[in-house]
Amino acid sequence: NKPNATPDETKAFIETQVADMKRLSESVGRPLLMTESGTMSRKGGTLKPGNWRDPGEYDGEEQARYMEAILNAFWDKPWWRGMYWWKW
């Protein structure tokens, strides 16, 4: 939600969507497996994680912070079964 967000800031943003994902899991009576999760390893990649076409300056740290935040947001959820890392 902002450039150079910390893992905690990114996790706080992601957690706004965690409740929706939990409700989805409960509504279908199945655990959740994310089939694509990730962001490009470039500056600003977390602002538009699905935008893989725009060039940008390499920033592996931004990508690492995003990955850490995703894992921290979901790791302990009993209805979550994992994810497939996209563009790692």
Side-chain angles (χ1 to χ4, degrees):
N1 60 351
K2 71 176 196 173
N4 297 315
T6 67
D8 287 338
E9 291 169 327
T10 303
K11 180 184 176 195
F13 178 75
I14 292 167
E15 285 180 340
T16 64
Q17 301 167 47
V18 170
D20 290 339
M21 293 180 187
K22 180 182 180 190
R23 280 191 292 278
L24 173 63
S25 173
E26 290 171 343
S27 73
V28 297
R30 310 276 302 174
L32 178 70
L33 173 68
M34 291 187 270
T35 57
E36 284 190 11
S37 182
T39 187
M40 298 292 289
S41 55
R42 62 167 184 214
K43 286 188 186 281
T46 58
L47 298 175
K48 296 180 182 179
N51 188 359
W52 54 271
R53 292 184 178 181
D54 288 344
E57 183 181 341
Y58 173 78
D59 189 346
E61 289 299 315
E62 182 164 346
Q63 185 183 49
R65 289 189 302 270
Y66 177 84
M67 294 169 88
E68 180 180 344
I70 289 280
L71 289 174
N72 286 336
F74 288 97
W75 192 259
D76 64 347
K77 306 300 185 252
W79 47 267
W80 183 72
R81 292 295 184 266
M83 70 180 70
Y84 170 78
W85 287 116
W86 175 82
K87 291 288 185 185
W88 66 276

